[in-house]
Amino acid sequence: MARPKMLKLPEVLEEIEMSRAAFYRMRARGEAPKLIKLPNGQLRCRRSDLDAWWERCEQHAA
């Protein structure tokens, strides 16, 4: 079984065109895509979680 695509935080920030500071503010409000913290402290986002977040954003904008 293939593992889901995991994006590094800089890749997520580039895709959503947002600064790290703005992203962390959004995350503190519970509005950011779901992140996974790895044992080494790095953050990752599943491609599927980011796609679901995009869909929620589109629904709220409509």
Side-chain angles (χ1 to χ4, degrees):
M1 185 169 117
R3 293 174 59 169
K5 171 71 175 164
M6 301 289 276
L7 303 170
K8 295 178 181 179
L9 185 56
E11 294 171 320
V12 173
L13 296 174
E14 182 179 333
E15 181 170 332
I16 65 176
E17 298 179 358
M18 185 176 287
S19 71
R20 185 179 294 263
F23 181 84
Y24 278 107
R25 286 191 301 271
M26 186 172 62
R27 187 173 182 221
R29 294 189 306 264
E31 300 170 354
K34 181 180 175 186
L35 296 178
I36 298 167
K37 190 171 188 176
L38 301 178
N40 63 4
Q42 294 181 359
L43 297 172
R44 296 287 190 274
C45 181
R46 286 186 185 98
R47 175 84 248 172
S48 59
D49 289 336
L50 185 58
D51 291 341
W53 177 82
W54 275 120
E55 286 188 33
R56 286 193 305 273
C57 289
E58 290 172 358
Q59 290 172 358
H60 285 112

Short mmCIF file of all heavy atoms in Angstrom, two decimals:
data_model
loop_
_atom_site.label_atom_id
_atom_site.label_comp_id
_atom_site.label_asym_id
_atom_site.label_seq_id
_atom_site.Cartn_x
_atom_site.Cartn_y
_atom_site.Cartn_z
N MET A 1 0.84 -1.18 0.00
CA MET A 1 0.00 0.00 0.00
C MET A 1 0.88 1.24 0.00
O MET A 1 1.83 1.35 0.77
CB MET A 1 -0.89 -0.01 1.24
CG MET A 1 -1.88 1.12 1.27
SD MET A 1 -3.10 0.88 2.56
CE MET A 1 -2.74 2.29 3.56
N ALA A 2 0.58 2.18 -0.86
CA ALA A 2 1.38 3.40 -0.98
C ALA A 2 1.06 4.36 0.16
O ALA A 2 -0.08 4.47 0.60
CB ALA A 2 1.10 4.08 -2.31
N ARG A 3 2.09 5.02 0.64
CA ARG A 3 1.91 6.01 1.70
C ARG A 3 1.38 7.30 1.09
O ARG A 3 1.71 7.64 -0.04
CB ARG A 3 3.24 6.26 2.38
CG ARG A 3 3.72 5.04 3.15
CD ARG A 3 5.08 5.23 3.71
NE ARG A 3 5.10 6.38 4.60
CZ ARG A 3 6.11 6.67 5.40
NH1 ARG A 3 7.15 5.91 5.42
NH2 ARG A 3 6.06 7.73 6.17
N PRO A 4 0.55 8.05 1.83
CA PRO A 4 0.02 9.30 1.29
C PRO A 4 1.14 10.33 1.11
O PRO A 4 2.13 10.32 1.83
CB PRO A 4 -0.98 9.76 2.35
CG PRO A 4 -0.58 9.07 3.61
CD PRO A 4 0.07 7.78 3.19
N LYS A 5 0.97 11.18 0.12
CA LYS A 5 1.95 12.25 -0.14
C LYS A 5 1.95 13.21 1.03
O LYS A 5 0.91 13.69 1.46
CB LYS A 5 1.56 12.97 -1.44
CG LYS A 5 2.33 14.22 -1.73
CD LYS A 5 3.76 13.94 -2.13
CE LYS A 5 4.43 15.26 -2.51
NZ LYS A 5 5.84 15.17 -2.54
N MET A 6 3.14 13.46 1.57
CA MET A 6 3.29 14.38 2.69
C MET A 6 4.06 15.61 2.21
O MET A 6 5.13 15.49 1.62
CB MET A 6 4.06 13.70 3.83
CG MET A 6 3.39 12.45 4.36
SD MET A 6 1.89 12.79 5.27
CE MET A 6 2.57 13.14 6.85
N LEU A 7 3.51 16.79 2.45
CA LEU A 7 4.13 18.04 2.04
C LEU A 7 4.85 18.67 3.22
O LEU A 7 4.34 18.67 4.35
CB LEU A 7 3.07 19.01 1.52
CG LEU A 7 2.23 18.52 0.36
CD1 LEU A 7 1.07 19.48 0.12
CD2 LEU A 7 3.07 18.39 -0.88
N LYS A 8 6.00 19.24 2.96
CA LYS A 8 6.72 20.00 3.98
C LYS A 8 6.03 21.34 4.13
O LYS A 8 5.38 21.84 3.21
CB LYS A 8 8.17 20.19 3.58
CG LYS A 8 8.95 18.91 3.51
CD LYS A 8 10.36 19.16 3.06
CE LYS A 8 11.13 17.85 2.97
NZ LYS A 8 12.51 18.06 2.52
N LEU A 9 6.19 21.96 5.30
CA LEU A 9 5.53 23.24 5.56
C LEU A 9 5.88 24.29 4.51
O LEU A 9 4.97 24.99 4.03
CB LEU A 9 5.84 23.73 6.97
CG LEU A 9 5.10 24.99 7.40
CD1 LEU A 9 3.58 24.83 7.27
CD2 LEU A 9 5.47 25.38 8.80
N PRO A 10 7.13 24.45 4.09
CA PRO A 10 7.41 25.45 3.04
C PRO A 10 6.66 25.18 1.74
O PRO A 10 6.24 26.12 1.06
CB PRO A 10 8.93 25.34 2.83
CG PRO A 10 9.45 24.82 4.13
CD PRO A 10 8.38 23.89 4.64
N GLU A 11 6.43 23.91 1.42
CA GLU A 11 5.66 23.57 0.22
C GLU A 11 4.20 24.00 0.38
O GLU A 11 3.58 24.51 -0.56
CB GLU A 11 5.73 22.07 -0.05
CG GLU A 11 7.12 21.58 -0.41
CD GLU A 11 7.23 20.08 -0.47
OE1 GLU A 11 6.63 19.38 0.37
OE2 GLU A 11 7.92 19.60 -1.39
N VAL A 12 3.65 23.79 1.57
CA VAL A 12 2.27 24.20 1.84
C VAL A 12 2.16 25.72 1.75
O VAL A 12 1.25 26.25 1.11
CB VAL A 12 1.81 23.70 3.23
CG1 VAL A 12 0.45 24.27 3.59
CG2 VAL A 12 1.80 22.18 3.28
N LEU A 13 3.09 26.42 2.38
CA LEU A 13 3.07 27.88 2.38
C LEU A 13 3.16 28.43 0.96
O LEU A 13 2.48 29.40 0.62
CB LEU A 13 4.20 28.44 3.24
CG LEU A 13 4.12 28.09 4.73
CD1 LEU A 13 5.36 28.58 5.44
CD2 LEU A 13 2.86 28.64 5.35
N GLU A 14 3.99 27.81 0.14
CA GLU A 14 4.12 28.25 -1.25
C GLU A 14 2.82 28.03 -2.01
O GLU A 14 2.37 28.90 -2.75
CB GLU A 14 5.27 27.50 -1.94
CG GLU A 14 5.50 27.94 -3.36
CD GLU A 14 6.66 27.21 -4.01
OE1 GLU A 14 7.57 26.75 -3.30
OE2 GLU A 14 6.63 27.08 -5.25
N GLU A 15 2.20 26.89 -1.81
CA GLU A 15 0.97 26.59 -2.54
C GLU A 15 -0.17 27.52 -2.15
O GLU A 15 -0.93 27.97 -3.00
CB GLU A 15 0.53 25.14 -2.30
CG GLU A 15 -0.73 24.80 -3.06
CD GLU A 15 -1.07 23.33 -3.07
OE1 GLU A 15 -0.15 22.49 -2.97
OE2 GLU A 15 -2.27 23.03 -3.18
N ILE A 16 -0.30 27.82 -0.86
CA ILE A 16 -1.41 28.68 -0.44
C ILE A 16 -1.02 30.16 -0.44
O ILE A 16 -1.84 31.00 -0.10
CB ILE A 16 -1.96 28.26 0.94
CG1 ILE A 16 -0.95 28.44 2.06
CG2 ILE A 16 -2.47 26.84 0.89
CD1 ILE A 16 -1.49 28.13 3.44
N GLU A 17 0.23 30.43 -0.85
CA GLU A 17 0.74 31.80 -0.97
C GLU A 17 0.52 32.60 0.31
O GLU A 17 -0.14 33.64 0.33
CB GLU A 17 0.09 32.50 -2.17
CG GLU A 17 0.41 31.83 -3.49
CD GLU A 17 -0.23 32.49 -4.69
OE1 GLU A 17 -0.98 33.48 -4.52
OE2 GLU A 17 0.00 32.01 -5.81
N MET A 18 1.11 32.08 1.38
CA MET A 18 0.93 32.68 2.70
C MET A 18 2.26 32.68 3.44
O MET A 18 3.06 31.76 3.27
CB MET A 18 -0.12 31.89 3.48
CG MET A 18 -0.49 32.47 4.81
SD MET A 18 -1.80 31.53 5.60
CE MET A 18 -3.20 32.01 4.59
N SER A 19 2.48 33.70 4.24
CA SER A 19 3.70 33.75 5.05
C SER A 19 3.57 32.76 6.21
O SER A 19 2.47 32.36 6.60
CB SER A 19 3.92 35.15 5.60
OG SER A 19 2.97 35.44 6.61
N ARG A 20 4.70 32.39 6.75
CA ARG A 20 4.72 31.48 7.89
C ARG A 20 3.98 32.09 9.08
O ARG A 20 3.19 31.41 9.75
CB ARG A 20 6.17 31.16 8.28
CG ARG A 20 6.30 30.12 9.38
CD ARG A 20 7.76 29.84 9.69
NE ARG A 20 8.43 29.22 8.57
CZ ARG A 20 8.63 27.91 8.44
NH1 ARG A 20 8.21 27.09 9.39
NH2 ARG A 20 9.24 27.41 7.40
N ALA A 21 4.18 33.38 9.33
CA ALA A 21 3.52 34.05 10.46
C ALA A 21 2.00 34.04 10.28
O ALA A 21 1.26 33.74 11.24
CB ALA A 21 4.04 35.47 10.60
N ALA A 22 1.53 34.35 9.09
CA ALA A 22 0.08 34.35 8.83
C ALA A 22 -0.48 32.94 8.98
O ALA A 22 -1.58 32.75 9.52
CB ALA A 22 -0.21 34.90 7.45
N PHE A 23 0.27 31.95 8.52
CA PHE A 23 -0.17 30.57 8.64
C PHE A 23 -0.32 30.18 10.10
O PHE A 23 -1.31 29.55 10.49
CB PHE A 23 0.81 29.63 7.93
CG PHE A 23 0.40 28.19 8.00
CD1 PHE A 23 -0.50 27.68 7.08
CD2 PHE A 23 0.90 27.35 8.98
CE1 PHE A 23 -0.90 26.34 7.14
CE2 PHE A 23 0.52 26.02 9.05
CZ PHE A 23 -0.39 25.53 8.12
N TYR A 24 0.65 30.53 10.94
CA TYR A 24 0.58 30.17 12.35
C TYR A 24 -0.55 30.91 13.05
O TYR A 24 -1.18 30.35 13.97
CB TYR A 24 1.92 30.41 13.04
CG TYR A 24 2.87 29.26 12.83
CD1 TYR A 24 3.96 29.38 11.98
CD2 TYR A 24 2.68 28.04 13.46
CE1 TYR A 24 4.84 28.32 11.77
CE2 TYR A 24 3.54 26.97 13.25
CZ TYR A 24 4.61 27.12 12.42
OH TYR A 24 5.46 26.06 12.22
N ARG A 25 -0.87 32.13 12.64
CA ARG A 25 -2.03 32.84 13.21
C ARG A 25 -3.31 32.09 12.84
O ARG A 25 -4.20 31.90 13.69
CB ARG A 25 -2.09 34.28 12.72
CG ARG A 25 -1.06 35.19 13.37
CD ARG A 25 -1.32 36.65 13.08
NE ARG A 25 -1.31 36.98 11.67
CZ ARG A 25 -0.24 37.33 10.97
NH1 ARG A 25 0.93 37.41 11.57
NH2 ARG A 25 -0.33 37.62 9.69
N MET A 26 -3.41 31.67 11.58
CA MET A 26 -4.57 30.93 11.12
C MET A 26 -4.65 29.58 11.86
O MET A 26 -5.74 29.15 12.25
CB MET A 26 -4.47 30.70 9.61
CG MET A 26 -5.68 30.07 8.99
SD MET A 26 -5.62 30.03 7.19
CE MET A 26 -4.20 29.02 6.88
N ARG A 27 -3.52 28.97 12.08
CA ARG A 27 -3.48 27.68 12.79
C ARG A 27 -3.94 27.86 14.23
O ARG A 27 -4.67 27.02 14.77
CB ARG A 27 -2.06 27.12 12.74
CG ARG A 27 -1.94 25.74 13.30
CD ARG A 27 -0.55 25.18 13.07
NE ARG A 27 -0.48 23.83 13.58
CZ ARG A 27 0.54 23.34 14.24
NH1 ARG A 27 1.61 24.07 14.44
NH2 ARG A 27 0.51 22.11 14.68
N ALA A 28 -3.55 28.95 14.88
CA ALA A 28 -3.96 29.22 16.26
C ALA A 28 -5.48 29.40 16.36
O ALA A 28 -6.08 29.07 17.39
CB ALA A 28 -3.25 30.47 16.79
N ARG A 29 -6.10 29.89 15.29
CA ARG A 29 -7.56 30.04 15.25
C ARG A 29 -8.27 28.76 14.84
O ARG A 29 -9.50 28.72 14.79
CB ARG A 29 -7.95 31.16 14.27
CG ARG A 29 -7.51 32.54 14.68
CD ARG A 29 -8.10 33.62 13.78
NE ARG A 29 -7.85 33.41 12.37
CZ ARG A 29 -6.86 33.96 11.66
NH1 ARG A 29 -6.01 34.77 12.26
NH2 ARG A 29 -6.73 33.72 10.37
N GLY A 30 -7.51 27.71 14.53
CA GLY A 30 -8.09 26.44 14.12
C GLY A 30 -8.59 26.43 12.69
O GLY A 30 -9.44 25.62 12.33
N GLU A 31 -8.05 27.30 11.84
CA GLU A 31 -8.52 27.44 10.47
C GLU A 31 -7.54 26.92 9.42
O GLU A 31 -7.82 26.98 8.24
CB GLU A 31 -8.81 28.92 10.17
CG GLU A 31 -9.86 29.52 11.08
CD GLU A 31 -9.97 31.01 10.94
OE1 GLU A 31 -9.15 31.63 10.23
OE2 GLU A 31 -10.88 31.58 11.55
N ALA A 32 -6.41 26.40 9.85
CA ALA A 32 -5.36 25.95 8.93
C ALA A 32 -5.56 24.48 8.57
O ALA A 32 -6.26 23.75 9.26
CB ALA A 32 -3.99 26.15 9.57
N PRO A 33 -4.92 24.05 7.49
CA PRO A 33 -4.94 22.62 7.17
C PRO A 33 -4.32 21.81 8.31
O PRO A 33 -3.46 22.31 9.04
CB PRO A 33 -4.08 22.50 5.91
CG PRO A 33 -3.91 23.88 5.40
CD PRO A 33 -4.13 24.81 6.52
N LYS A 34 -4.76 20.58 8.45
CA LYS A 34 -4.24 19.71 9.50
C LYS A 34 -2.77 19.41 9.26
O LYS A 34 -2.37 19.08 8.14
CB LYS A 34 -5.04 18.41 9.52
CG LYS A 34 -4.60 17.45 10.60
CD LYS A 34 -5.42 16.19 10.55
CE LYS A 34 -4.88 15.20 11.57
NZ LYS A 34 -5.56 13.90 11.46
N LEU A 35 -1.96 19.53 10.32
CA LEU A 35 -0.53 19.23 10.24
C LEU A 35 -0.20 18.06 11.13
O LEU A 35 -0.89 17.80 12.12
CB LEU A 35 0.30 20.44 10.69
CG LEU A 35 0.19 21.70 9.83
CD1 LEU A 35 1.03 22.81 10.44
CD2 LEU A 35 0.61 21.43 8.40
N ILE A 36 0.85 17.36 10.77
CA ILE A 36 1.35 16.24 11.55
C ILE A 36 2.76 16.58 11.99
O ILE A 36 3.58 16.99 11.17
CB ILE A 36 1.36 14.96 10.70
CG1 ILE A 36 -0.05 14.62 10.27
CG2 ILE A 36 2.01 13.81 11.45
CD1 ILE A 36 -0.12 13.58 9.18
N LYS A 37 3.02 16.46 13.29
CA LYS A 37 4.36 16.71 13.80
C LYS A 37 5.12 15.39 13.87
O LYS A 37 4.69 14.45 14.52
CB LYS A 37 4.29 17.35 15.19
CG LYS A 37 5.62 17.85 15.68
CD LYS A 37 5.46 18.68 16.93
CE LYS A 37 6.76 19.33 17.29
NZ LYS A 37 6.61 20.20 18.46
N LEU A 38 6.23 15.35 13.19
CA LEU A 38 7.08 14.16 13.16
C LEU A 38 7.91 14.07 14.43
O LEU A 38 8.09 15.08 15.13
CB LEU A 38 7.99 14.20 11.94
CG LEU A 38 7.29 14.26 10.57
CD1 LEU A 38 8.32 14.34 9.47
CD2 LEU A 38 6.37 13.07 10.38
N PRO A 39 8.44 12.90 14.76
CA PRO A 39 9.27 12.76 15.97
C PRO A 39 10.46 13.72 16.00
O PRO A 39 10.91 14.11 17.08
CB PRO A 39 9.74 11.31 15.90
CG PRO A 39 8.69 10.60 15.11
CD PRO A 39 8.22 11.61 14.10
N ASN A 40 10.96 14.13 14.83
CA ASN A 40 12.10 15.06 14.81
C ASN A 40 11.67 16.52 14.92
O ASN A 40 12.48 17.42 14.81
CB ASN A 40 12.94 14.85 13.54
CG ASN A 40 12.18 15.16 12.27
OD1 ASN A 40 11.04 15.62 12.30
ND2 ASN A 40 12.81 14.91 11.14
N GLY A 41 10.35 16.76 15.10
CA GLY A 41 9.84 18.11 15.28
C GLY A 41 9.37 18.79 14.00
O GLY A 41 8.76 19.85 14.06
N GLN A 42 9.67 18.21 12.86
CA GLN A 42 9.24 18.81 11.60
C GLN A 42 7.75 18.60 11.40
O GLN A 42 7.17 17.66 11.92
CB GLN A 42 10.02 18.21 10.43
CG GLN A 42 11.49 18.54 10.45
CD GLN A 42 12.21 17.95 9.25
OE1 GLN A 42 11.63 17.27 8.43
NE2 GLN A 42 13.50 18.22 9.17
N LEU A 43 7.15 19.53 10.65
CA LEU A 43 5.72 19.46 10.36
C LEU A 43 5.49 19.01 8.93
O LEU A 43 6.22 19.38 8.02
CB LEU A 43 5.07 20.83 10.57
CG LEU A 43 5.14 21.37 12.00
CD1 LEU A 43 4.63 22.81 12.03
CD2 LEU A 43 4.34 20.50 12.94
N ARG A 44 4.46 18.20 8.76
CA ARG A 44 4.06 17.73 7.43
C ARG A 44 2.55 17.87 7.31
O ARG A 44 1.81 17.87 8.30
CB ARG A 44 4.42 16.26 7.22
CG ARG A 44 5.90 15.96 7.24
CD ARG A 44 6.56 16.46 5.96
NE ARG A 44 7.93 16.01 5.83
CZ ARG A 44 8.98 16.63 6.36
NH1 ARG A 44 8.80 17.72 7.06
NH2 ARG A 44 10.19 16.16 6.19
N CYS A 45 2.10 17.97 6.07
CA CYS A 45 0.67 18.03 5.77
C CYS A 45 0.38 17.00 4.69
O CYS A 45 1.06 16.97 3.66
CB CYS A 45 0.30 19.44 5.28
SG CYS A 45 -1.44 19.65 4.90
N ARG A 46 -0.61 16.15 4.93
CA ARG A 46 -1.00 15.20 3.91
C ARG A 46 -1.61 15.95 2.74
O ARG A 46 -2.35 16.91 2.92
CB ARG A 46 -2.02 14.22 4.45
CG ARG A 46 -1.48 13.19 5.38
CD ARG A 46 -2.56 12.18 5.75
NE ARG A 46 -2.06 11.26 6.73
CZ ARG A 46 -2.29 11.37 8.04
NH1 ARG A 46 -3.04 12.34 8.51
NH2 ARG A 46 -1.78 10.49 8.87
N ARG A 47 -1.32 15.51 1.53
CA ARG A 47 -1.90 16.12 0.33
C ARG A 47 -3.43 16.12 0.43
O ARG A 47 -4.08 17.10 0.11
CB ARG A 47 -1.44 15.33 -0.90
CG ARG A 47 -2.04 15.78 -2.20
CD ARG A 47 -1.27 16.94 -2.75
NE ARG A 47 -2.10 18.12 -2.71
CZ ARG A 47 -1.67 19.34 -2.98
NH1 ARG A 47 -0.43 19.56 -3.30
NH2 ARG A 47 -2.45 20.36 -2.92
N SER A 48 -3.99 15.02 0.91
CA SER A 48 -5.45 14.90 1.03
C SER A 48 -6.01 15.92 2.02
O SER A 48 -7.09 16.46 1.81
CB SER A 48 -5.84 13.48 1.42
OG SER A 48 -5.25 13.12 2.65
N ASP A 49 -5.29 16.18 3.12
CA ASP A 49 -5.75 17.18 4.10
C ASP A 49 -5.72 18.58 3.51
O ASP A 49 -6.62 19.39 3.75
CB ASP A 49 -4.90 17.13 5.37
CG ASP A 49 -5.15 15.87 6.20
OD1 ASP A 49 -6.23 15.27 6.06
OD2 ASP A 49 -4.25 15.50 6.97
N LEU A 50 -4.69 18.88 2.73
CA LEU A 50 -4.60 20.20 2.10
C LEU A 50 -5.70 20.36 1.06
O LEU A 50 -6.34 21.41 0.99
CB LEU A 50 -3.22 20.41 1.47
CG LEU A 50 -2.97 21.80 0.89
CD1 LEU A 50 -3.15 22.89 1.94
CD2 LEU A 50 -1.58 21.88 0.28
N ASP A 51 -5.95 19.32 0.27
CA ASP A 51 -7.03 19.38 -0.72
C ASP A 51 -8.38 19.58 -0.05
O ASP A 51 -9.22 20.35 -0.53
CB ASP A 51 -7.03 18.13 -1.59
CG ASP A 51 -5.83 18.04 -2.51
OD1 ASP A 51 -5.19 19.09 -2.76
OD2 ASP A 51 -5.54 16.94 -2.99
N ALA A 52 -8.62 18.89 1.07
CA ALA A 52 -9.88 19.04 1.81
C ALA A 52 -10.01 20.46 2.35
O ALA A 52 -11.10 21.05 2.34
CB ALA A 52 -9.95 18.03 2.95
N TRP A 53 -8.90 21.02 2.82
CA TRP A 53 -8.92 22.41 3.32
C TRP A 53 -9.28 23.38 2.20
O TRP A 53 -10.08 24.29 2.40
CB TRP A 53 -7.54 22.73 3.91
CG TRP A 53 -7.42 24.13 4.39
CD1 TRP A 53 -7.84 24.64 5.59
CD2 TRP A 53 -6.84 25.23 3.68
NE1 TRP A 53 -7.55 25.97 5.66
CE2 TRP A 53 -6.93 26.36 4.50
CE3 TRP A 53 -6.23 25.36 2.43
CZ2 TRP A 53 -6.45 27.61 4.12
CZ3 TRP A 53 -5.76 26.59 2.06
CH2 TRP A 53 -5.87 27.70 2.88
N TRP A 54 -8.70 23.17 1.01
CA TRP A 54 -9.03 24.01 -0.15
C TRP A 54 -10.52 23.95 -0.43
O TRP A 54 -11.17 24.96 -0.71
CB TRP A 54 -8.26 23.56 -1.39
CG TRP A 54 -6.88 24.12 -1.55
CD1 TRP A 54 -5.72 23.42 -1.62
CD2 TRP A 54 -6.49 25.50 -1.70
NE1 TRP A 54 -4.65 24.27 -1.79
CE2 TRP A 54 -5.10 25.54 -1.84
CE3 TRP A 54 -7.21 26.69 -1.70
CZ2 TRP A 54 -4.40 26.74 -1.99
CZ3 TRP A 54 -6.51 27.88 -1.86
CH2 TRP A 54 -5.12 27.89 -2.00
N GLU A 55 -11.10 22.75 -0.39
CA GLU A 55 -12.53 22.58 -0.65
C GLU A 55 -13.37 23.33 0.37
O GLU A 55 -14.37 23.98 0.02
CB GLU A 55 -12.91 21.10 -0.68
CG GLU A 55 -12.44 20.40 -1.94
CD GLU A 55 -12.97 19.00 -2.05
OE1 GLU A 55 -14.10 18.74 -1.60
OE2 GLU A 55 -12.24 18.15 -2.60
N ARG A 56 -12.98 23.26 1.65
CA ARG A 56 -13.71 24.01 2.69
C ARG A 56 -13.63 25.51 2.43
O ARG A 56 -14.62 26.22 2.60
CB ARG A 56 -13.17 23.67 4.07
CG ARG A 56 -13.57 22.29 4.56
CD ARG A 56 -13.27 22.10 6.05
NE ARG A 56 -11.89 22.36 6.41
CZ ARG A 56 -10.92 21.47 6.36
NH1 ARG A 56 -11.15 20.24 5.92
NH2 ARG A 56 -9.69 21.80 6.73
N CYS A 57 -12.48 25.98 2.01
CA CYS A 57 -12.31 27.41 1.69
C CYS A 57 -13.24 27.82 0.55
O CYS A 57 -13.86 28.89 0.60
CB CYS A 57 -10.87 27.73 1.32
SG CYS A 57 -9.72 27.65 2.70
N GLU A 58 -13.32 26.98 -0.46
CA GLU A 58 -14.18 27.27 -1.61
C GLU A 58 -15.65 27.30 -1.20
O GLU A 58 -16.41 28.13 -1.66
CB GLU A 58 -13.96 26.25 -2.72
CG GLU A 58 -12.61 26.38 -3.40
CD GLU A 58 -12.32 25.25 -4.36
OE1 GLU A 58 -13.14 24.32 -4.50
OE2 GLU A 58 -11.25 25.29 -4.99
N GLN A 59 -16.05 26.38 -0.32
CA GLN A 59 -17.44 26.32 0.13
C GLN A 59 -17.80 27.56 0.94
O GLN A 59 -18.91 28.09 0.79
CB GLN A 59 -17.69 25.07 0.95
CG GLN A 59 -17.66 23.79 0.12
CD GLN A 59 -17.71 22.54 0.98
OE1 GLN A 59 -17.72 22.61 2.21
NE2 GLN A 59 -17.71 21.39 0.33
N HIS A 60 -16.89 28.04 1.78
CA HIS A 60 -17.15 29.23 2.58
C HIS A 60 -17.20 30.49 1.71
O HIS A 60 -17.88 31.45 2.04
CB HIS A 60 -16.09 29.39 3.68
CG HIS A 60 -16.29 28.44 4.81
ND1 HIS A 60 -15.43 27.42 5.06
CD2 HIS A 60 -17.27 28.34 5.73
CE1 HIS A 60 -15.86 26.73 6.10
NE2 HIS A 60 -16.98 27.27 6.52
N ALA A 61 -16.47 30.48 0.61
CA ALA A 61 -16.43 31.64 -0.29
C ALA A 61 -17.69 31.73 -1.15
O ALA A 61 -18.04 32.79 -1.62
CB ALA A 61 -15.20 31.59 -1.18
N ALA A 62 -18.35 30.60 -1.35
CA ALA A 62 -19.53 30.56 -2.24
C ALA A 62 -20.77 31.12 -1.56
O ALA A 62 -20.90 31.32 -0.44
CB ALA A 62 -19.79 29.14 -2.68
#
